[in-house]
Amino acid sequence: MGVGLPKTVTTLNSGHSMPLLGMGTAAFPVEPQDLVESAILRAIELGYTHFDTASVYQTEPVLGRAIRQALDRGLIASRDHIFITTKLWCGHANRNLVVPALRESLQALGLDYVDLYLIHFPAKFESLEKGFGVRSEDLVPLDMKGTWQGMEECVRLGLAKSIGVSNFTSKKLSQILSFATIPPAVNQVEMHPLWQQWKLRDFCAEKGIHVSAYSPLGGKNAPWGSNAVFDNEELKQIAEAKGKTLAQICSRWAYEQGVSFLPKSYNKERLKENMEVFDWELSKDELKKMRSLPQSRIFKAEKLVSANGLFKSVEDLWDGEV
């Protein structure tokens, strides 16, 4: 099975364990299915056990096929040895649509349950169509309480072991915590050295919610992303001094913050490099330099902002956390 991962897992507030390194599968435009499937199988051969998908990514079916292949080939002993996250799309953010949406995802994955089910955004679309081509008139207020009740039902039905959210601010998490009978186990958010999420991480630590970092390299090559992390001179200097890649510096930094991290790569060498961050450390001086880097959110989700909608500005959407 390759070199395998060190024991780098965290225990969520649900009592379930989650590997701290995961493979992201979001790519826009969508990559060819055979490329994605072979990359996932390579990752499993290397020792990856945590895979992150979403209904909107269109990678649930190919991830499911790769898992079945891995089981057939003996690369993984059983379903229980992998951790699968998927997400509820905004069009299904409705009390009565959550469970059917997860059942649809499970059918696509070919699984009986997911390990983690997340509300993808704190937003509701009138249209059930999956995609980011949302019109301002499709944006409607989210029934957060009703949607969360649907998420809790997924746990009670055994369809999800843990539930959580993605792209939620401290304020929006507070709203859920005010009525939740099952608290969110995870908040998956943009996090990297140029957007370190200090306020949100402090809040989540206080409430026992695990933070998971998507785009730990700043969303390089994503339509909404930026090369700012890779172009940062301070990070380049740290990488050169350490004899590591800049991506490894970012991943190690995330690991040392106690968060899980989900780099997306279909390249075999980079998949391997992403794993080689557990047996060395950043120095106090290096961490201090990284702490002092200028901060700015890269993914602002402007498409969720509308003069007539719930979020009238980017500041509204992120509750000032920009």
Side-chain angles (χ1 to χ4, degrees):
M1 259 186 77
V3 296
L5 285 174
K7 290 191 175 179
T8 50
V9 300
T10 189
T11 301
L12 303 175
N13 62 20
S14 59
H16 297 288
S17 296
M18 181 172 84
L20 289 172
L21 170 62
M23 177 185 180
T25 64
F28 303 100
V30 177
E31 301 272 16
Q33 299 282 288
D34 56 345
L35 170 68
V36 180
E37 187 171 346
S38 62
I40 293 169
L41 282 166
R42 277 197 298 271
I44 292 171
E45 288 169 353
L46 287 167
Y48 282 74
T49 56
H50 177 178
F51 297 89
D52 181 84
T53 184
S55 59
V56 76
Y57 300 165
Q58 300 177 45
T59 52
E60 290 173 328
V62 68
L63 175 56
R65 286 198 300 275
I67 291 167
R68 288 190 291 279
Q69 270 208 59
L71 286 166
D72 290 344
R73 289 166 52 183
L75 297 174
I76 45 180
S78 71
R79 159 67 182 95
D80 292 344
H81 288 187
I82 51 171
F83 188 102
I84 304 298
T85 300
T86 195
K87 306 177 191 78
L88 175 77
W89 186 238
C90 305
H92 295 96
N94 175 287
R95 173 70 179 87
N96 298 319
L97 297 179
V98 177
V99 170
L102 179 51
R103 289 193 191 278
E104 186 180 313
S105 285
L106 290 170
Q107 185 174 6
L109 286 159
L111 299 176
D112 296 325
Y113 68 89
V114 291
D115 298 275
L116 180 62
Y117 195 40
L118 305 177
I119 298 176
H120 207 147
F121 287 96
K124 172 77 172 77
F125 297 167
E126 281 282 18
S127 169
L128 296 181
E129 185 179 339
K130 292 171 187 172
F132 290 95
V134 62
R135 302 170 302 169
S136 59
E137 55 264 36
D138 287 333
L139 288 164
V140 294
L142 171 67
D143 173 12
M144 205 176 288
K145 184 173 183 179
T147 302
W148 190 251
Q149 287 171 339
M151 298 291 285
E152 292 177 333
E153 185 66 12
C154 292
V155 176
R156 295 189 186 101
L157 291 170
L159 304 178
K161 289 193 171 183
S162 303
I163 51 176
V165 297
S166 182
N167 298 298
F168 272 56
T169 62
S170 308
K171 183 178 177 180
K172 291 177 177 64
L173 276 172
S174 292
Q175 288 177 261
I176 287 186
L177 290 170
S178 71
F179 49 69
T181 59
I182 302 174
V186 170
N187 187 17
Q188 188 186 116
V189 294
E190 176 191 346
M191 181 178 156
H192 45 76
L194 301 187
W195 187 239
Q196 299 187 17
Q197 296 274 19
W198 302 313
K199 177 185 175 184
L200 181 68
R201 283 197 282 140
D202 286 347
F203 178 87
C204 288
E206 180 189 332
K207 302 297 181 183
I209 298 168
H210 176 76
V211 172
S212 190
Y214 72 72
S215 297
L217 312 180
K220 188 174 185 285
N221 298 325
W224 55 264
S226 162
N227 290 335
V229 170
F230 278 82
D231 291 341
N232 185 273
E233 289 302 323
E234 287 90 344
L235 293 175
K236 285 181 185 177
Q237 288 167 17
I238 292 171
E240 188 175 349
K242 269 279 192 276
K244 305 293 181 184
T245 67
L246 194 145
Q248 286 176 318
I249 296 298
C250 293
S251 291
R252 178 68 201 189
W253 172 83
Y255 177 63
E256 291 192 23
Q257 307 310 302
V259 305
S260 52
F261 50 106
L262 307 164
K264 178 260 158 186
S265 179
Y266 296 154
N267 176 282
K268 185 176 182 179
E269 285 309 307
R270 286 197 290 272
L271 282 167
K272 188 169 180 290
E273 284 174 3
N274 291 339
M275 295 177 63
E276 295 169 345
V277 298
F278 299 107
D279 59 354
W280 52 276
E281 295 180 346
L282 292 162
S283 70
K284 287 183 180 178
D285 186 52
E286 288 162 343
L287 288 168
K288 185 178 178 183
K289 285 180 183 174
M290 293 175 79
R291 174 86 184 186
S292 67
L293 292 171
Q295 297 294 295
S296 180
R297 183 185 294 278
I298 293 174
F299 178 49
K300 296 186 171 66
E302 289 97 337
K303 290 199 173 193
L304 299 182
V305 173
S306 164
N308 303 316
L310 182 62
F311 307 118
K312 298 188 177 1
S313 68
V314 167
E315 285 71 22
D316 274 352
L317 173 59
W318 300 110
D319 298 313
E321 296 175 20
V322 292

